[in-house]
Amino acid sequence: SSGINAEYGQLADSGKSVLVSTHIKGEVETLCDKVVVLCEGQMKAVGPCGQVKNKFGAGFSLQVTTAESSEVELTKTALEHRLKDITLVHKIGRNLQYFVPDS
C-alpha cells in the first residue's frame, strides 16, 4: 500500500491526475485531493475531501437488503418518502445504502 501511495504522490507531483475508484474511505482521505461521490451514474457530491466529508459526515449509514429483487424499487420509494433527507449512496442488486443526516 505504501508503494502505491508513493507512486500516486510522484504522479501528482509531476502534474498528472490519477483517478482512483474505491469504497474505502481511508484510501480516499489518504490519496485524494478532490472527491466525487457517484450513485447509479449520478454525482451526489464533488469537492475537496473535507467538504464532502462534512456533507456526509454527520449522520449514519442505513443499509437495507430486500428478500427479493422485485422489492427493491418499492422499498426505495417507501424509504425516500418517509425519510425526506436521506441520500442514496449505493444501489447494487438487492442492496440499498443510504446516508441519513443527523436531524
Side-chain angles (χ1 to χ4, degrees):
S1 175
S2 63
I4 292 172
N5 292 350
E7 288 180 37
Y8 286 146
Q10 289 174 352
L11 287 169
D13 290 343
S14 70
K16 295 192 167 98
S17 296
V18 177
L19 176 65
V20 177
S21 176
T22 184
H23 291 259
I24 302 169
K25 187 177 76 165
E27 285 182 356
V28 172
E29 291 173 341
T30 300
L31 299 173
C32 303
D33 297 320
K34 187 173 183 180
V35 177
V36 177
V37 177
L38 298 172
C39 178
E40 297 184 314
Q42 300 290 317
M43 287 191 294
K44 299 294 183 177
V46 179
C49 290
Q51 180 183 6
V52 172
K53 189 175 179 180
N54 287 340
K55 179 174 181 173
F56 290 103
F60 63 94
S61 176
L62 171 65
Q63 295 183 12
V64 179
T65 302
T66 62
E68 302 291 331
S69 57
S70 60
E71 299 170 335
V72 172
E73 286 305 315
L74 180 63
T75 302
K76 181 178 176 292
T77 300
L79 284 169
E80 292 172 3
H81 177 73
R82 288 181 177 85
L83 302 170
K84 301 288 186 203
D85 294 332
I86 66 174
T87 301
L88 181 64
V89 178
H90 297 290
K91 177 183 168 196
I92 303 171
R94 296 179 299 118
N95 301 301
L96 300 168
Q97 180 179 355
Y98 287 93
F99 173 75
V100 182
D102 290 335
S103 300

Coordinates of all heavy atoms in Angstrom, one line a residue:
S1 N 0.8 -1.2 0.0 CA 0.0 0.0 0.0 C 0.9 1.3 0.0 O 0.6 2.2 -0.7 CB -0.9 0.0 1.2 OG -1.6 1.2 1.3
S2 N 1.9 1.3 0.8 CA 2.8 2.5 0.9 C 3.5 2.7 -0.5 O 3.8 3.8 -0.8 CB 3.8 2.4 2.0 OG 4.6 1.3 1.8
G3 N 3.8 1.6 -1.2 CA 4.4 1.8 -2.5 C 3.5 2.4 -3.5 O 3.9 3.3 -4.3
I4 N 2.2 2.0 -3.4 CA 1.2 2.6 -4.3 C 1.0 4.1 -3.9 O 1.0 4.9 -4.8 CB -0.2 1.9 -4.2 CG1 0.0 0.5 -4.8 CG2 -1.3 2.7 -4.8 CD1 -1.2 -0.4 -4.6
N5 N 1.0 4.4 -2.7 CA 0.9 5.8 -2.2 C 2.0 6.6 -2.8 O 1.8 7.8 -3.2 CB 0.8 5.9 -0.7 CG -0.4 5.3 -0.1 OD1 -1.4 5.0 -0.8 ND2 -0.4 5.2 1.2
A6 N 3.2 6.1 -2.7 CA 4.4 6.8 -3.3 C 4.3 7.0 -4.8 O 4.6 8.1 -5.3 CB 5.7 6.0 -2.9
E7 N 3.8 6.0 -5.5 CA 3.6 6.2 -6.9 C 2.6 7.3 -7.2 O 2.8 8.1 -8.1 CB 3.2 4.9 -7.6 CG 4.3 3.9 -7.6 CD 3.9 2.6 -8.3 OE1 3.1 2.6 -9.2 OE2 4.3 1.5 -7.8
Y8 N 1.5 7.3 -6.5 CA 0.4 8.3 -6.7 C 1.0 9.7 -6.4 O 0.8 10.6 -7.1 CB -0.8 8.1 -5.8 CG -1.7 7.0 -6.2 CD1 -2.3 6.2 -5.2 CD2 -1.9 6.7 -7.5 CE1 -3.2 5.2 -5.6 CE2 -2.8 5.6 -7.9 CZ -3.4 4.9 -6.9 OH -4.3 3.9 -7.2
G9 N 1.8 9.8 -5.3 CA 2.5 11.0 -5.0 C 3.4 11.5 -6.1 O 3.4 12.7 -6.4
Q10 N 4.2 10.6 -6.7 CA 5.1 11.0 -7.8 C 4.3 11.5 -9.0 O 4.7 12.5 -9.6 CB 6.0 9.8 -8.1 CG 7.0 9.5 -7.1 CD 7.8 8.2 -7.5 OE1 7.4 7.5 -8.4 NE2 8.8 7.9 -6.7
L11 N 3.2 10.8 -9.3 CA 2.4 11.3 -10.4 C 1.8 12.7 -10.1 O 1.8 13.5 -11.0 CB 1.3 10.3 -10.7 CG 1.7 9.0 -11.4 CD1 0.6 8.0 -11.4 CD2 2.2 9.2 -12.8
A12 N 1.3 12.9 -8.9 CA 0.7 14.1 -8.6 C 1.7 15.3 -8.6 O 1.5 16.4 -9.1 CB 0.0 14.1 -7.2
D13 N 2.9 15.0 -8.1 CA 4.0 16.0 -8.1 C 4.4 16.3 -9.5 O 4.9 17.4 -9.8 CB 5.2 15.4 -7.3 CG 4.9 15.4 -5.8 OD1 4.0 16.0 -5.4 OD2 5.7 14.7 -5.1
S14 N 4.2 15.4 -10.5 CA 4.6 15.7 -11.9 C 3.5 16.4 -12.6 O 3.6 16.7 -13.8 CB 5.0 14.4 -12.6 OG 3.9 13.6 -12.8
G15 N 2.4 16.7 -11.9 CA 1.3 17.5 -12.5 C 0.2 16.6 -13.2 O -0.6 17.1 -13.9
K16 N 0.3 15.3 -13.0 CA -0.6 14.4 -13.6 C -1.8 14.1 -12.6 O -1.6 14.1 -11.4 CB 0.1 13.1 -14.0 CG 1.1 13.3 -15.1 CD 1.6 12.0 -15.7 CE 2.3 12.2 -16.9 NZ 3.7 12.2 -16.8
S17 N -2.9 13.8 -13.2 CA -4.1 13.4 -12.4 C -4.2 11.9 -12.4 O -3.9 11.2 -13.3 CB -5.4 14.0 -13.0 OG -5.4 15.4 -13.0
V18 N -4.7 11.4 -11.3 CA -4.9 10.0 -11.1 C -6.4 9.8 -10.7 O -6.9 10.4 -9.7 CB -4.0 9.4 -10.0 CG1 -4.2 7.9 -9.8 CG2 -2.5 9.7 -10.4
L19 N -7.1 8.9 -11.4 CA -8.4 8.5 -11.0 C -8.4 7.3 -10.1 O -7.9 6.3 -10.6 CB -9.3 8.3 -12.3 CG -10.7 7.8 -12.0 CD1 -11.5 8.9 -11.3 CD2 -11.3 7.5 -13.3
V20 N -9.0 7.4 -8.9 CA -9.0 6.2 -8.0 C -10.5 5.9 -7.8 O -11.3 6.8 -7.4 CB -8.3 6.6 -6.7 CG1 -8.4 5.4 -5.7 CG2 -6.9 7.0 -6.9
S21 N -10.8 4.6 -8.0 CA -12.2 4.2 -7.7 C -12.1 3.2 -6.5 O -11.4 2.2 -6.5 CB -12.7 3.5 -8.9 OG -14.0 2.9 -8.6
T22 N -12.8 3.6 -5.4 CA -12.7 2.8 -4.2 C -14.0 3.0 -3.3 O -14.6 4.0 -3.5 CB -11.5 3.1 -3.4 OG1 -11.4 2.2 -2.3 CG2 -11.4 4.5 -2.9
H23 N -14.2 2.1 -2.5 CA -15.3 2.2 -1.5 C -14.7 2.4 -0.1 O -15.4 2.5 0.9 CB -16.2 1.0 -1.5 CG -17.0 0.9 -2.7 ND1 -18.4 1.2 -2.7 CD2 -16.7 0.5 -3.9 CE1 -18.8 1.0 -3.9 NE2 -17.9 0.6 -4.7
I24 N -13.3 2.5 0.0 CA -12.6 2.5 1.3 C -12.3 4.0 1.6 O -11.5 4.6 1.0 CB -11.4 1.7 1.2 CG1 -11.8 0.2 0.9 CG2 -10.6 1.7 2.5 CD1 -10.6 -0.7 0.6
K25 N -13.0 4.5 2.6 CA -12.9 5.9 2.9 C -11.5 6.3 3.3 O -11.0 7.4 2.9 CB -13.9 6.3 4.1 CG -13.9 7.7 4.4 CD -15.0 8.0 5.5 CE -14.4 7.6 6.8 NZ -15.0 8.1 8.0
G26 N -10.8 5.4 4.0 CA -9.4 5.7 4.4 C -8.5 6.0 3.2 O -7.6 6.8 3.2
E27 N -8.7 5.2 2.1 CA -7.9 5.4 0.9 C -8.2 6.7 0.3 O -7.2 7.4 -0.1 CB -8.2 4.3 -0.1 CG -7.6 3.0 0.2 CD -7.9 1.9 -0.9 OE1 -8.6 2.2 -1.9 OE2 -7.4 0.8 -0.8
V28 N -9.4 7.1 0.3 CA -9.8 8.4 -0.3 C -9.1 9.5 0.5 O -8.5 10.4 -0.1 CB -11.3 8.6 -0.3 CG1 -11.7 10.0 -0.7 CG2 -12.0 7.5 -1.2
E29 N -9.2 9.5 1.8 CA -8.6 10.5 2.6 C -7.1 10.6 2.5 O -6.6 11.7 2.6 CB -9.1 10.3 4.1 CG -10.5 10.6 4.3 CD -11.0 10.2 5.7 OE1 -10.3 9.5 6.4 OE2 -12.1 10.7 6.1
T30 N -6.5 9.5 2.3 CA -5.0 9.4 2.2 C -4.5 9.9 0.8 O -3.6 10.6 0.7 CB -4.5 8.0 2.4 OG1 -4.9 7.6 3.7 CG2 -3.0 7.9 2.3
L31 N -5.3 9.5 -0.3 CA -4.7 9.6 -1.6 C -5.3 10.8 -2.4 O -4.7 11.3 -3.3 CB -5.0 8.4 -2.4 CG -4.4 7.1 -1.9 CD1 -4.9 5.9 -2.8 CD2 -2.9 7.1 -2.0
C32 N -6.5 11.3 -2.0 CA -7.2 12.2 -2.9 C -7.2 13.6 -2.4 O -7.4 13.9 -1.2 CB -8.6 11.7 -3.2 SG -8.6 10.0 -3.8
D33 N -7.1 14.6 -3.3 CA -7.4 16.0 -3.0 C -8.8 16.4 -3.3 O -9.4 17.2 -2.6 CB -6.5 16.9 -3.9 CG -5.0 16.6 -3.6 OD1 -4.6 16.5 -2.4 OD2 -4.2 16.6 -4.5
K34 N -9.4 15.7 -4.3 CA -10.8 16.0 -4.7 C -11.5 14.7 -4.8 O -11.0 13.7 -5.2 CB -10.8 16.7 -6.1 CG -12.1 17.2 -6.5 CD -12.0 18.1 -7.8 CE -13.4 18.7 -8.2 NZ -13.3 19.4 -9.4
V35 N -12.8 14.8 -4.4 CA -13.6 13.6 -4.3 C -14.9 13.8 -5.1 O -15.5 14.9 -5.1 CB -14.0 13.3 -2.8 CG1 -14.9 12.1 -2.7 CG2 -12.8 13.0 -2.0
V36 N -15.3 12.7 -5.8 CA -16.6 12.7 -6.5 C -17.3 11.4 -5.9 O -16.8 10.3 -6.0 CB -16.5 12.5 -8.0 CG1 -17.8 12.4 -8.6 CG2 -15.7 13.7 -8.6
V37 N -18.5 11.6 -5.4 CA -19.4 10.5 -4.9 C -20.4 10.3 -6.0 O -21.2 11.1 -6.4 CB -20.0 10.9 -3.5 CG1 -21.0 9.7 -3.1 CG2 -19.0 11.1 -2.5
L38 N -20.4 9.0 -6.5 CA -21.3 8.6 -7.5 C -22.3 7.6 -7.0 O -21.9 6.7 -6.2 CB -20.6 8.0 -8.7 CG -19.6 8.8 -9.4 CD1 -18.8 8.0 -10.4 CD2 -20.3 9.9 -10.2
C39 N -23.5 7.6 -7.5 CA -24.5 6.6 -7.2 C -25.4 6.4 -8.5 O -26.0 7.4 -8.9 CB -25.4 7.0 -6.0 SG -26.6 5.7 -5.7
E40 N -25.4 5.2 -9.0 CA -26.2 5.0 -10.2 C -25.8 5.9 -11.3 O -26.6 6.4 -12.1 CB -27.7 5.0 -10.0 CG -28.1 3.9 -9.0 CD -29.6 3.9 -8.8 OE1 -30.3 5.0 -8.7 OE2 -30.2 2.8 -8.9
G41 N -24.5 6.3 -11.4 CA -24.0 7.1 -12.5 C -24.3 8.6 -12.3 O -24.0 9.4 -13.1
Q42 N -24.9 9.0 -11.2 CA -25.2 10.4 -10.8 C -24.2 10.9 -9.8 O -23.9 10.2 -8.8 CB -26.6 10.5 -10.3 CG -27.7 10.0 -11.3 CD -27.8 10.9 -12.4 OE1 -27.8 12.2 -12.3 NE2 -28.0 10.4 -13.6
M43 N -23.7 12.1 -10.0 CA -22.8 12.7 -9.0 C -23.7 13.2 -7.8 O -24.6 14.0 -8.0 CB -22.0 13.9 -9.6 CG -20.9 13.4 -10.5 SD -19.8 14.8 -11.0 CE -20.9 15.8 -11.9
K44 N -23.3 12.7 -6.6 CA -24.0 13.1 -5.4 C -23.3 14.2 -4.7 O -23.9 15.0 -3.9 CB -24.3 11.9 -4.5 CG -25.1 10.8 -5.1 CD -26.5 11.3 -5.3 CE -27.3 10.2 -5.9 NZ -28.7 10.5 -6.1
A45 N -22.0 14.3 -4.8 CA -21.1 15.3 -4.2 C -19.8 15.4 -4.9 O -19.3 14.4 -5.4 CB -20.9 15.0 -2.7
V46 N -19.3 16.6 -5.0 CA -18.0 16.9 -5.7 C -17.3 17.9 -4.8 O -17.9 18.9 -4.4 CB -18.1 17.4 -7.1 CG1 -16.8 17.7 -7.7 CG2 -18.9 16.4 -8.0
G47 N -16.0 17.7 -4.6 CA -15.2 18.8 -3.9 C -14.1 18.2 -3.1 O -13.8 17.0 -3.2
P48 N -13.4 19.1 -2.3 CA -12.3 18.6 -1.5 C -12.8 17.6 -0.5 O -14.0 17.6 -0.1 CB -11.8 19.9 -0.8 CG -12.4 21.0 -1.6 CD -13.6 20.5 -2.2
C49 N -11.9 16.7 -0.1 CA -12.3 15.6 0.9 C -13.0 16.2 2.1 O -14.0 15.6 2.5 CB -11.0 14.8 1.3 SG -10.3 13.8 0.0
G50 N -12.5 17.2 2.7 CA -13.1 17.8 3.9 C -14.5 18.2 3.7 O -15.4 18.0 4.5
Q51 N -14.8 18.9 2.5 CA -16.1 19.4 2.2 C -17.1 18.3 2.0 O -18.2 18.3 2.5 CB -16.0 20.2 0.9 CG -17.3 20.8 0.5 CD -17.2 21.6 -0.8 OE1 -16.2 21.6 -1.5 NE2 -18.3 22.3 -1.2
V52 N -16.7 17.2 1.3 CA -17.6 16.1 1.1 C -17.8 15.3 2.4 O -18.9 14.9 2.7 CB -17.0 15.2 0.0 CG1 -17.8 13.9 -0.1 CG2 -17.0 15.9 -1.4
K53 N -16.7 15.2 3.2 CA -16.9 14.5 4.5 C -17.9 15.3 5.4 O -18.7 14.7 6.1 CB -15.5 14.4 5.1 CG -15.5 13.6 6.4 CD -14.1 13.5 6.9 CE -14.0 12.6 8.2 NZ -12.7 12.5 8.7
N54 N -17.8 16.6 5.3 CA -18.8 17.4 6.1 C -20.2 17.2 5.7 O -21.1 17.1 6.5 CB -18.4 18.9 6.1 CG -17.2 19.3 6.9 OD1 -16.8 18.5 7.8 ND2 -16.6 20.4 6.6
K55 N -20.4 17.0 4.4 CA -21.7 16.8 3.8 C -22.3 15.4 4.3 O -23.4 15.3 4.6 CB -21.7 16.9 2.3 CG -23.1 16.6 1.7 CD -23.2 16.8 0.2 CE -24.6 16.6 -0.3 NZ -24.7 16.9 -1.7
F56 N -21.4 14.4 4.3 CA -21.8 13.1 4.6 C -21.3 12.6 5.9 O -21.5 11.4 6.3 CB -21.4 12.1 3.5 CG -22.1 12.3 2.2 CD1 -21.4 12.9 1.1 CD2 -23.3 11.8 2.0 CE1 -22.1 13.0 -0.1 CE2 -24.0 11.9 0.8 CZ -23.4 12.6 -0.2
G57 N -20.7 13.5 6.7 CA -20.1 13.0 8.0 C -20.9 13.0 9.2 O -20.6 12.4 10.2
A58 N -22.0 13.8 9.3 CA -22.8 14.0 10.5 C -24.1 13.2 10.3 O -25.1 13.7 9.8 CB -23.0 15.4 10.8
G59 N -24.1 12.0 10.7 CA -25.2 11.1 10.5 C -24.8 9.7 10.5 O -23.8 9.3 11.2
F60 N -25.6 8.8 9.9 CA -25.3 7.4 9.9 C -25.6 6.8 8.6 O -26.4 7.3 7.8 CB -26.0 6.7 11.1 CG -27.5 6.7 11.0 CD1 -28.2 5.7 10.4 CD2 -28.2 7.8 11.5 CE1 -29.6 5.7 10.3 CE2 -29.6 7.8 11.5 CZ -30.3 6.8 10.9
S61 N -25.1 5.6 8.4 CA -25.4 4.8 7.2 C -26.5 3.8 7.5 O -26.5 3.1 8.5 CB -24.1 4.0 6.8 OG -24.3 3.2 5.7
L62 N -27.4 3.7 6.5 CA -28.5 2.8 6.6 C -28.4 1.8 5.5 O -28.4 2.3 4.3 CB -29.9 3.5 6.5 CG -31.1 2.7 6.4 CD1 -31.3 1.8 7.6 CD2 -32.3 3.5 6.1
Q63 N -28.3 0.5 5.8 CA -28.1 -0.5 4.7 C -29.3 -1.4 4.8 O -29.7 -1.9 5.8 CB -26.8 -1.2 4.9 CG -25.6 -0.4 4.7 CD -24.3 -1.1 4.9 OE1 -24.3 -2.4 4.8 NE2 -23.2 -0.4 5.0
V64 N -30.0 -1.6 3.6 CA -31.1 -2.4 3.5 C -30.9 -3.5 2.4 O -30.5 -3.1 1.3 CB -32.4 -1.6 3.2 CG1 -33.6 -2.4 3.0 CG2 -32.6 -0.5 4.2
T65 N -31.2 -4.7 2.7 CA -31.2 -5.8 1.7 C -32.6 -6.4 1.7 O -33.1 -6.8 2.7 CB -30.2 -6.9 2.1 OG1 -28.9 -6.3 2.2 CG2 -30.1 -7.9 1.0
T66 N -33.2 -6.3 0.5 CA -34.5 -6.9 0.3 C -34.5 -8.4 0.1 O -33.5 -8.9 -0.4 CB -35.3 -6.2 -0.9 OG1 -34.5 -6.5 -2.1 CG2 -35.4 -4.7 -0.7
A67 N -35.6 -9.1 0.5 CA -35.6 -10.5 0.3 C -35.6 -10.9 -1.2 O -35.0 -11.9 -1.6 CB -36.8 -11.1 1.0
E68 N -36.3 -10.1 -2.0 CA -36.5 -10.4 -3.4 C -36.0 -9.1 -4.2 O -36.3 -8.0 -3.8 CB -37.9 -10.7 -3.8 CG -38.5 -11.8 -3.0 CD -37.9 -13.2 -3.4 OE1 -37.5 -13.3 -4.6 OE2 -37.9 -14.1 -2.6
S69 N -35.5 -9.3 -5.4 CA -35.0 -8.2 -6.2 C -36.2 -7.4 -6.7 O -36.1 -6.2 -6.9 CB -34.2 -8.7 -7.4 OG -34.9 -9.6 -8.2
S70 N -37.4 -8.0 -6.7 CA -38.6 -7.3 -7.2 C -39.1 -6.3 -6.1 O -39.9 -5.4 -6.4 CB -39.8 -8.3 -7.5 OG -40.1 -9.0 -6.3
E71 N -38.5 -6.4 -4.9 CA -38.9 -5.5 -3.8 C -38.1 -4.2 -3.7 O -38.4 -3.3 -2.9 CB -38.9 -6.2 -2.4 CG -39.8 -7.4 -2.4 CD -39.6 -8.2 -1.2 OE1 -38.5 -8.2 -0.6 OE2 -40.6 -8.9 -0.7
V72 N -37.0 -4.1 -4.4 CA -36.0 -3.1 -4.3 C -36.6 -1.7 -4.5 O -36.5 -0.8 -3.7 CB -34.8 -3.3 -5.2 CG1 -33.9 -2.0 -5.2 CG2 -34.0 -4.5 -4.8
E73 N -37.3 -1.5 -5.7 CA -37.9 -0.2 -6.0 C -39.0 0.2 -5.0 O -39.1 1.4 -4.7 CB -38.4 -0.2 -7.5 CG -37.3 -0.2 -8.5 CD -36.3 1.0 -8.3 OE1 -36.8 2.2 -8.1 OE2 -35.1 0.8 -8.4
L74 N -39.8 -0.7 -4.6 CA -40.9 -0.4 -3.6 C -40.2 0.0 -2.3 O -40.7 1.0 -1.7 CB -41.8 -1.6 -3.4 CG -42.9 -1.5 -2.4 CD1 -43.9 -0.4 -2.9 CD2 -43.6 -2.8 -2.2
T75 N -39.2 -0.7 -1.9 CA -38.5 -0.3 -0.6 C -37.9 1.0 -0.8 O -37.9 1.9 0.2 CB -37.5 -1.4 -0.3 OG1 -38.1 -2.7 -0.2 CG2 -36.7 -1.1 1.0
K76 N -37.2 1.3 -1.9 CA -36.5 2.6 -2.1 C -37.5 3.7 -2.1 O -37.3 4.7 -1.4 CB -35.8 2.5 -3.5 CG -35.1 3.7 -3.9 CD -34.4 3.5 -5.3 CE -33.7 4.7 -5.8 NZ -34.6 5.8 -6.2
T77 N -38.6 3.5 -2.7 CA -39.7 4.6 -2.8 C -40.2 4.8 -1.4 O -40.4 6.0 -1.0 CB -40.8 4.1 -3.7 OG1 -40.3 4.0 -5.0 CG2 -41.9 5.2 -3.8
A78 N -40.5 3.8 -0.6 CA -41.0 3.9 0.7 C -40.1 4.6 1.7 O -40.4 5.5 2.4 CB -41.4 2.5 1.3
L79 N -38.8 4.2 1.6 CA -37.8 4.9 2.5 C -37.6 6.4 2.1 O -37.6 7.2 3.0 CB -36.4 4.2 2.3 CG -36.2 2.9 3.0 CD1 -35.0 2.2 2.6 CD2 -36.3 3.1 4.5
E80 N -37.5 6.7 0.8 CA -37.3 8.1 0.4 C -38.6 8.9 0.7 O -38.4 10.1 0.9 CB -36.9 8.1 -1.1 CG -35.5 7.5 -1.2 CD -35.1 7.3 -2.7 OE1 -35.9 7.7 -3.6 OE2 -34.0 6.8 -2.9
H81 N -39.7 8.3 0.7 CA -41.0 9.1 1.1 C -41.0 9.4 2.5 O -41.4 10.5 2.9 CB -42.2 8.2 0.6 CG -43.5 8.9 1.0 ND1 -44.0 10.0 0.3 CD2 -44.4 8.6 2.0 CE1 -45.1 10.4 0.9 NE2 -45.4 9.6 1.9
R82 N -40.6 8.4 3.4 CA -40.7 8.6 4.8 C -39.5 9.4 5.4 O -39.7 10.0 6.4 CB -40.9 7.2 5.5 CG -42.2 6.6 5.3 CD -42.4 5.3 5.9 NE -43.7 4.7 5.8 CZ -44.1 4.0 4.7 NH1 -43.3 3.8 3.7 NH2 -45.3 3.6 4.6
L83 N -38.4 9.2 4.8 CA -37.2 9.9 5.4 C -36.7 10.9 4.3 O -35.8 10.6 3.5 CB -36.1 8.8 5.7 CG -36.4 7.7 6.7 CD1 -35.4 6.7 6.7 CD2 -36.7 8.3 8.0
K84 N -37.2 12.1 4.3 CA -37.0 13.1 3.3 C -35.6 13.4 3.0 O -35.2 13.7 1.9 CB -37.9 14.3 3.6 CG -39.3 14.1 3.7 CD -40.0 13.8 2.4 CE -41.5 13.7 2.6 NZ -42.2 12.9 1.6
D85 N -34.7 13.5 4.0 CA -33.4 14.0 3.9 C -32.3 12.9 3.6 O -31.2 13.2 3.5 CB -33.0 14.8 5.1 CG -33.8 16.0 5.3 OD1 -34.3 16.6 4.3 OD2 -34.0 16.4 6.5
I86 N -32.7 11.7 3.4 CA -31.8 10.6 3.1 C -31.2 10.8 1.7 O -31.9 11.3 0.8 CB -32.3 9.2 3.4 CG1 -33.4 8.8 2.4 CG2 -32.8 9.1 4.8 CD1 -33.9 7.4 2.5
T87 N -30.0 10.3 1.5 CA -29.3 10.3 0.2 C -28.9 8.9 -0.1 O -28.2 8.2 0.6 CB -28.1 11.2 0.2 OG1 -28.4 12.5 0.6 CG2 -27.4 11.2 -1.1
L88 N -29.3 8.4 -1.3 CA -28.9 7.0 -1.8 C -27.4 7.1 -2.1 O -27.0 7.9 -3.0 CB -29.8 6.6 -2.9 CG -29.5 5.2 -3.5 CD1 -29.7 4.1 -2.5 CD2 -30.2 5.0 -4.8
V89 N -26.6 6.3 -1.5 CA -25.2 6.2 -1.8 C -24.9 5.1 -2.8 O -24.1 5.3 -3.7 CB -24.4 6.1 -0.5 CG1 -22.9 6.0 -0.8 CG2 -24.7 7.3 0.5
H90 N -25.4 3.9 -2.5 CA -25.2 2.8 -3.4 C -26.5 2.0 -3.6 O -27.3 1.9 -2.7 CB -24.2 1.8 -2.8 CG -22.8 2.3 -2.6 ND1 -22.0 2.6 -3.6 CD2 -22.2 2.7 -1.5 CE1 -20.9 3.1 -3.2 NE2 -21.0 3.2 -1.9
K91 N -26.7 1.5 -4.8 CA -27.8 0.6 -5.1 C -27.1 -0.5 -5.9 O -26.8 -0.3 -7.1 CB -28.9 1.2 -5.8 CG -30.0 0.3 -6.2 CD -31.1 1.0 -7.0 CE -32.0 0.0 -7.6 NZ -32.8 0.7 -8.7
I92 N -27.0 -1.7 -5.3 CA -26.3 -2.8 -6.0 C -27.2 -4.1 -5.8 O -27.3 -4.5 -4.6 CB -24.9 -3.1 -5.5 CG1 -24.1 -1.8 -5.7 CG2 -24.3 -4.2 -6.3 CD1 -22.7 -1.8 -5.1
G93 N -27.8 -4.6 -6.8 CA -28.7 -5.7 -6.7 C -29.8 -5.5 -5.7 O -30.6 -4.5 -5.9
R94 N -29.9 -6.3 -4.7 CA -31.0 -6.2 -3.7 C -30.5 -5.3 -2.5 O -31.3 -5.1 -1.5 CB -31.4 -7.5 -3.1 CG -32.0 -8.5 -4.2 CD -32.3 -9.8 -3.6 NE -31.2 -10.5 -3.1 CZ -31.0 -10.9 -1.8 NH1 -32.0 -10.6 -0.9 NH2 -29.9 -11.5 -1.4
N95 N -29.4 -4.7 -2.6 CA -28.8 -3.9 -1.5 C -28.9 -2.4 -1.8 O -28.5 -1.9 -2.8 CB -27.3 -4.2 -1.3 CG -27.2 -5.7 -1.0 OD1 -27.7 -6.2 0.0 ND2 -26.4 -6.4 -1.8
L96 N -29.4 -1.7 -0.8 CA -29.5 -0.2 -0.8 C -28.7 0.3 0.4 O -28.8 -0.2 1.5 CB -31.0 0.3 -0.7 CG -32.0 -0.2 -1.7 CD1 -33.4 0.1 -1.2 CD2 -31.7 0.5 -3.0
Q97 N -27.9 1.4 0.1 CA -27.2 2.0 1.2 C -27.5 3.5 1.1 O -27.3 4.1 0.1 CB -25.7 1.8 1.1 CG -24.9 2.5 2.3 CD -23.4 2.3 2.2 OE1 -22.9 1.5 1.4 NE2 -22.8 2.9 3.1
Y98 N -27.9 4.0 2.3 CA -28.3 5.4 2.4 C -27.4 6.1 3.4 O -27.0 5.5 4.4 CB -29.8 5.6 2.8 CG -30.8 5.3 1.8 CD1 -31.3 4.0 1.7 CD2 -31.2 6.2 0.9 CE1 -32.3 3.7 0.7 CE2 -32.1 5.9 -0.1 CZ -32.7 4.7 -0.2 OH -33.6 4.4 -1.2
F99 N -27.3 7.4 3.2 CA -26.7 8.3 4.3 C -27.9 9.0 4.9 O -28.7 9.6 4.2 CB -25.7 9.3 3.7 CG -25.3 10.3 4.7 CD1 -24.4 10.0 5.7 CD2 -25.9 11.6 4.8 CE1 -24.1 10.8 6.7 CE2 -25.5 12.5 5.7 CZ -24.6 12.1 6.7
V100 N -28.0 8.9 6.2 CA -29.1 9.6 6.9 C -28.5 10.7 7.8 O -27.8 10.3 8.7 CB -29.9 8.6 7.8 CG1 -31.1 9.3 8.5 CG2 -30.4 7.4 6.9
P101 N -28.7 12.0 7.5 CA -28.1 13.0 8.3 C -28.7 13.1 9.7 O -29.9 12.7 9.9 CB -28.4 14.3 7.5 CG -29.6 13.9 6.7 CD -29.5 12.5 6.4
D102 N -27.9 13.6 10.6 CA -28.5 13.9 12.0 C -29.5 15.0 11.8 O -29.4 15.9 11.0 CB -27.4 14.4 12.9 CG -26.5 13.3 13.3 OD1 -26.8 12.1 13.2 OD2 -25.3 13.6 13.7
S103 N -30.6 14.9 12.6 CA -31.7 15.9 12.5 C -31.3 17.1 13.3 O -30.7 17.1 14.3 CB -33.0 15.3 13.0 OG -33.3 14.2 12.2

